[in-house]
Amino acid sequence: MSGHWSDSYVRFLRTIIPEIDVPIYLLRNDEHPVEWESHWLAIFSPLSDLRAQATLERLGLWSGRGVCVIVRDDFAAWSTRCQYGTALHEMAHGLEHISQGDAFPSMAELSPVARELLNGVESEILAEAGIDARALIRSQHGADFVRYAAHLHVRARAEMHIVAADLQFLHAIYSLPPERYDDVVASLSHELARSRNLNLTRLRESPAAFLALFQ
């Protein structure tokens, strides 16, 4: 037991996603300040753990590379559903990253682009590369993300009262709006029904009916 405020949340996430075999870290932005937009609730990036390594070591939490989520300073004041829904949203991003393979290389194995992002100001680097922030947000909430989030919702609602909107995985600025929720569930119904028997890091190709929603 680390004695950190995040311990119970991390235990919950491991209950919902036991197939994740890397460390899970949860920090507030006042513990580890990063660039922050006022409307953000939480963020995950593949480099969050490395950016926060010194903080995690100071807190006695560091146990190697893994999924690191940063939440807003006032996290403790949110409703329980918002807290857990937001954490699950970011874990869906983590699952998508893990499923792509070789998710957490050592510092020495980082790509030049990753090194640049790790050592620089991300918003400036993206702007210099001509990457539109709105288009980036949309691409980060595509079919794979929605699929993982749908599974996490199904699993979590068996543990606690949580609705799909708490995970905020459908949104007007994302790849699908909230009114497509029923279509998502219908197109994934066969695998969602047996979600607990699946390894979410090793899902097969998405059903054609589900992928068609994003065309």
Side-chain angles (χ1 to χ4, degrees):
M1 297 290 291
S2 70
H4 189 251
W5 67 265
S6 66
D7 290 345
S8 62
Y9 298 96
V10 171
R11 285 195 297 271
F12 171 79
L13 294 173
R14 289 216 174 276
T15 297
I16 301 300
I17 330 169
E19 55 266 58
I20 289 187
D21 60 0
V22 296
I24 297 174
Y25 305 115
L26 193 63
L27 293 173
R28 292 191 313 270
N29 191 38
D30 59 357
E31 292 176 297
H32 182 72
V34 296
E35 290 182 83
W36 202 268
E37 298 287 344
S38 60
H39 61 279
W40 286 357
L41 294 179
I43 59 170
F44 160 80
S45 92
L47 298 175
S48 294
D49 59 326
L50 288 178
R51 287 179 178 272
Q53 182 174 349
T55 298
L56 292 166
E57 289 177 344
R58 175 174 54 80
L59 294 171
L61 297 174
W62 179 257
S63 57
R65 296 218 57 193
V67 178
C68 180
V69 173
I70 313 294
V71 297
R72 205 167 65 187
D73 298 350
D74 61 349
F75 183 79
W78 302 355
S79 70
T80 299
R81 282 172 43 182
C82 185
Q83 288 177 341
Y84 285 92
T86 299
L88 289 167
H89 175 113
E90 299 305 329
M91 291 305 297
H93 286 301
L95 272 169
E96 181 178 7
H97 177 64
I98 289 171
S99 72
Q100 295 169 356
D102 195 24
F104 300 105
S106 66
M107 184 79 76
E109 297 171 314
L110 288 180
S111 69
V113 173
R115 284 184 174 278
E116 185 178 2
L117 287 169
L118 181 62
N119 297 318
V121 179
E122 185 170 347
S123 60
E124 294 178 359
I125 293 170
L126 294 177
E128 290 172 0
I131 297 175
D132 177 76
R134 191 176 183 87
L136 180 62
I137 289 173
R138 184 178 176 84
S139 71
Q140 291 173 335
H141 296 84
D144 287 343
F145 165 79
V146 171
R147 188 184 188 190
Y148 291 123
H151 274 279
L152 296 188
H153 170 235
V154 166
R155 290 182 176 190
R157 74 185 183 194
E159 300 287 335
M160 63 184 299
H161 178 62
I162 191 167
V163 299
D166 296 326
L167 277 73
Q168 300 184 54
F169 61 95
L170 302 177
H171 195 286
I173 64 171
Y174 295 170
S175 295
L176 288 181
E179 53 264 31
R180 301 308 299 272
Y181 173 74
D182 288 341
D183 297 326
V184 168
V185 172
S187 63
L188 294 174
S189 59
H190 179 67
E191 65 180 51
L192 291 177
R194 54 193 180 93
S195 181
R196 275 294 190 182
N197 296 321
L198 299 175
N199 183 328
L200 297 186
T201 66
R202 299 177 181 176
L203 289 179
R204 296 181 178 179
E205 185 176 351
S206 295
F210 172 71
L211 293 176
L213 300 176
F214 297 84
Q215 296 175 356

